[in-house]
Amino acid sequence: MDTQTPLSIQLVTEISRREGVEPFELPPLEDCVDTESLDKLFGRADGPFVDGWVRFQYAGYEVTISHTGEFEVA
């Protein structure tokens, strides 16, 4: 996990790569999930301990993010 780049940015970057478009061409991630909470709870090694995962739909993909900050896009 890249600890310097917010998790929400990493996610949008990965999906834009898969789609072959620029990140700004995708719908706003904020329309699907609270990105501030996502970054705070799941995207930081020094953040609060969260045991679990979150799953949501974004840009036609099912996104699963684990408590470690690793994500799967299917």
Side-chain angles (χ1 to χ4, degrees), residues 2 4-30 35 38-39 56 58-59 61 63 65 71-73:
D2 175 1
Q4 300 298 316
T5 305
L7 180 60
S8 57
I9 300 298
Q10 292 178 52
L11 177 60
V12 170
T13 301
E14 173 60 21
I15 292 177
S16 70
R17 183 191 65 77
R18 289 181 183 208
E19 289 292 305
V21 299
E22 293 297 322
F24 65 84
E25 295 179 75
L26 294 172
L29 182 58
E30 295 83 9
T35 56
L38 186 73
D39 290 338
F56 56 92
Y58 173 65
Y61 292 90
V63 177
I65 302 175
F71 60 83
E72 180 181 310
V73 178

Side-chain angles (χ1 to χ4, degrees), residues 54-73:
V54 63
R55 181 177 292 149
F56 56 92
Q57 297 288 320
Y58 173 65
Y61 292 90
E62 181 173 273
V63 177
T64 304
I65 302 175
S66 75
H67 68 278
T68 62
E70 299 295 317
F71 60 83
E72 180 181 310
V73 178

